[in-house]
Amino acid sequence: MLMAGFAALSLVACNKKEDASSRVQETTSTTTETTTTASSANGATETATSNNVQTGFPKIAFNETTHDFGDVKKGSKSEVEFEIRNEGTVDLVIIDAKASCGCTVPEKPQDPIKPGSSAKMKVVFSANSPGLQSKNVTLTTNTEAGSEVLTVKANVKE
């Protein structure tokens, strides 16, 4: 039995597949609690296990999906905090946040967002080029859609 446990652990440890699509496909999370008691009559050990299973997808909502900084001066930095709410019944996980260009830097929440709770995600925009700018931040999530897009806009002036 010990060998079977070691083999299973080895397979899991070697299979560190971190692509987003496999993590988004995980729609069920299980929490297992194990209690062990010994029987004094014959020395046998009994193990009782209970499972708490969450199924389905979280539902994501935002205070806004597009933020317009308006006119900003070239060389300046502007930041906004998007509020992310979980309106579903299971934990919401922001797996990744990627900007469409290096001038935009998102800081995703590190912890899962519990049902009914919210978290802030800061996005910093560096005004490097003059003119109208529109940059996207793509969130990879464990929602049914698997991804969400937020947009920041600015009119960069010399």
Side-chain angles (χ1 to χ4, degrees):
M1 186 154 179
L2 182 61
M3 291 296 276
F6 181 73
L9 183 60
S10 296
L11 287 174
V12 171
C14 292
N15 190 13
K16 289 200 98 162
K17 190 174 181 182
E18 290 292 331
D19 67 338
S21 60
S22 68
R23 290 188 66 184
V24 169
Q25 295 302 321
E26 296 172 1
T27 61
T28 302
S29 65
T30 304
T31 304
T32 303
E33 181 180 305
T34 303
T35 307
T36 304
T37 57
S39 172
S40 59
N42 62 6
T45 303
E46 290 182 24
T47 303
T49 304
S50 64
N51 291 326
N52 177 17
V53 179
Q54 294 182 341
T55 59
F57 294 99
K59 183 177 179 189
I60 195 168
F62 301 97
N63 62 330
E64 63 180 338
T65 56
T66 301
H67 182 80
D68 191 343
F69 290 112
D71 292 340
V72 296
K73 186 176 179 183
K74 182 179 175 185
S76 67
K77 290 186 178 188
S78 301
E79 68 180 57
V80 61
E81 282 190 340
F82 288 96
E83 181 181 336
I84 303 169
R85 289 184 315 280
N86 181 357
E87 296 181 348
T89 57
V90 297
D91 290 358
L92 169 64
V93 179
I94 308 298
I95 299 164
D96 197 16
K98 291 216 186 275
S100 58
C101 122
C103 64
T104 306
V105 180
E107 294 178 16
K108 73 177 186 72
Q110 296 301 311
D111 297 325
I113 304 169
K114 299 287 183 195
S117 296
S118 62
K120 304 271 186 191
M121 185 181 81
K122 183 167 78 169
V123 176
V124 178
F125 170 72
S126 297
N128 298 329
S129 302
L132 293 173
Q133 304 288 320
S134 179
K135 306 299 178 184
N136 292 330
V137 174
T138 303
L139 303 179
T140 305
T141 66
N142 66 331
T143 60
E144 188 169 14
S147 67
E148 307 289 333
V149 177
L150 301 173
T151 304
V152 292
K153 296 179 178 184
N155 183 23
V156 180
K157 299 208 171 206
E158 291 284 343

